Amino acid sequence: MSKTNKEKIAEISDRIDTIIECCATTPNNFAKVLGYSRAQTIYDIQNRKCAPSYDFFNRFTDSEYSAIINLRWLLNGEGEMWTDFMRRLTHEEQIIVVDNVNHGISVSSYQVATEVDIAVNRNTLNELQKENGELRSRAKLADKYYKTTLEQAKQIGRLEARIEELEQRLGKTAGDANIGGTANAG
């Protein structure tokens, strides 16, 4: 391997280290987002044991990282690290980071909340609160019907038991009457 290839591998390794650091993730989580079952490939690239393969770049392009990291920058250091999407963020916008992958942060957990998104979210929140109120009313009504049905089922059970008791008593009385009538006739 010539010195220029080693230098290129070192530069790409450094850029991968930068991505992992700037995205506040770990090599293991980075590998998982790329679809690797183990992080060994990432560690080997970081330690300059091997160059990133076509498979690595293909996985990177298919991952969520391609939405925020400029592939041209990763390949040869040209341009900005962040894509236009990430550069459009202003100081008024927030990036909300959620811990989803093994207590690490993955790119898929980034959500950008702009003023428009906040307005939409407020409208959605109002709609959800209204719907929640309607659902609570329906739940109370359903609970009332459930309690009524349960009470009626208990009452039916008591009536069935009473009917059975009366039938037994009637059968016993009828049996006594037949025996008594037969005895008197004879």
Side-chain angles (χ1 to χ4, degrees):
M1 193 182 287
S2 70
K3 185 174 182 179
T4 57
N5 283 342
K6 286 183 180 180
E7 288 174 353
K8 288 180 183 179
I9 292 171
E11 289 173 0
I12 292 174
S13 295
D14 290 342
R15 286 191 288 273
I16 291 171
D17 288 341
T18 301
I19 292 169
I20 291 170
E21 182 180 328
C22 289
C23 291
T25 191
T26 65
N28 193 39
N29 291 338
F30 183 72
K32 285 184 180 186
V33 171
L34 295 184
Y36 290 107
S37 59
R38 300 175 348 146
Q40 191 59 48
T41 301
I42 305 304
Y43 288 120
D44 287 347
I45 294 169
Q46 285 182 305
N47 295 326
R48 300 175 177 134
K49 290 183 180 179
C50 68
S53 64
Y54 171 79
D55 180 62
F56 170 84
F57 290 110
N58 193 36
R59 288 173 184 255
F60 184 89
T61 303
D62 290 341
S63 76
E64 294 92 355
Y65 285 106
S66 65
I68 63 169
I69 303 295
N70 184 347
L71 182 61
R72 174 167 276 171
W73 173 84
L74 176 60
L75 285 168
N76 55 29
E78 291 179 9
E80 298 288 325
M81 174 181 160
W82 303 111
T83 61
D84 289 340
F85 170 76
M86 288 299 286
R87 283 191 305 231
R88 281 193 304 258
L89 295 177
T90 67
H91 66 282
E92 295 174 7
E93 297 169 327
Q94 291 180 316
I95 298 176
I96 303 166
V97 181
V98 180
D99 185 356
N100 280 341
V101 182
N102 285 344
H103 305 293
I105 301 167
S106 73
V107 175
S108 61
S109 64
Y110 282 88
Q111 298 175 350
V112 178
T114 63
E115 289 179 24
V116 174
D117 293 334
I118 291 170
V120 168
N121 287 338
R122 283 188 185 136
N123 289 339
T124 304
L125 179 62
N126 290 338
E127 290 173 13
L128 288 174
Q129 286 174 336
K130 180 180 175 183
E131 188 175 339
N132 190 29
E134 291 171 6
L135 289 173
R136 284 180 193 232
S137 297
R138 288 182 183 177
K140 286 180 183 178
L141 188 59
D143 190 47
K144 178 181 173 185
Y145 287 144
Y146 173 75
K147 288 179 180 176
T148 301
T149 304
L150 189 61
E151 190 57 43
Q152 289 173 343
K154 289 178 182 177
Q155 188 174 4
I156 289 171
R158 287 191 298 266
L159 289 172
E160 286 175 340
R162 180 73 175 140
I163 290 170
E164 186 178 324
E165 178 188 323
L166 291 172
E167 285 175 344
Q168 287 176 355
R169 194 183 293 172
L170 181 63
K172 192 176 192 181
T173 305
D176 289 345
N178 288 339
I179 295 172
T182 308
N184 290 336

